[in-house]
Amino acid sequence: PELARRARIQGVVILEATTDIYGNVVSVKVLRSPHPLLANAAVQAVKQWKYEPMIINGVPRPVVFVVTVTFRLQ
């Protein structure tokens, strides 16, 4: 995010995400973040992602997993 960039904030955000049977991200929880600006940007980004559905024994299943988003200044 622009405000974080101007403030020279960088770091790693760790999230817990859940997908539905179609691979859509239905919930995101922040597990760790160095700053709220980065946490909010990471959550908004992950909510837009689409995953391949997890198929177990021929049946699509919801999945809970950890996502790491790194914000690094150049």
Side-chain angles (χ1 to χ4, degrees):
E2 181 60 28
L3 282 175
R5 188 178 68 74
R6 280 190 265 151
R8 307 291 299 161
I9 299 168
Q10 61 183 356
V12 175
V13 179
I14 300 174
L15 307 168
E16 178 183 275
T18 304
T19 58
D20 62 14
I21 62 171
Y22 305 105
N24 300 308
V25 176
V26 293
S27 69
V28 180
K29 179 173 125 182
V30 177
L31 300 178
R32 190 174 75 197
S33 177
H35 195 279
L37 284 172
L38 300 183
N40 291 335
V43 167
Q44 293 308 312
V46 171
K47 282 182 176 179
Q48 296 177 38
W49 296 354
K50 173 90 172 174
Y51 289 87
E52 287 290 320
M54 172 67 77
I55 308 293
I56 300 174
N57 295 326
V59 178
R61 305 280 183 181
V63 178
V64 177
F65 56 100
V66 174
V67 177
T68 301
V69 180
T70 303
F71 292 89
R72 187 173 308 138
L73 297 170
Q74 297 291 341

